[in-house]
Amino acid sequence: MLVLILSAVLLLVIGGCVCVFWEARGGAPRWARGVAKATLLGGELARSASRNSRSRQGGDD
């Protein structure tokens, strides 16, 4: 069951990356632009969450 869930997440990530690439090249349909925007937003949220967790861990290096 876990393999199935991870496979589905992997497919969604790959699909999002394809939509970002398609949007960057131009000529993507509206739905692909929306998926690309959501993918980029998710990446920014993950990056900011990672930064916040790192800053909380080691403040006194």
Side-chain angles (χ1 to χ4, degrees):
M1 183 68 176
L2 184 62
V3 173
L4 184 65
I5 293 171
L6 290 175
S7 297
V9 169
L10 181 63
L11 285 175
L12 286 173
V13 168
I14 290 171
C17 291
V18 168
C19 287
V20 168
F21 181 73
W22 194 5
E23 165 65 21
R25 293 202 51 171
R30 178 176 277 171
W31 65 266
R33 288 193 299 261
V35 171
K37 191 171 284 197
T39 301
L40 292 173
L41 179 64
E44 288 295 324
L45 289 173
R47 187 177 310 148
S48 68
S50 175
R51 277 191 210 130
N52 288 341
S53 69
R54 270 190 273 143
S55 66
R56 278 188 242 135
Q57 284 178 356
D60 57 344
D61 283 346

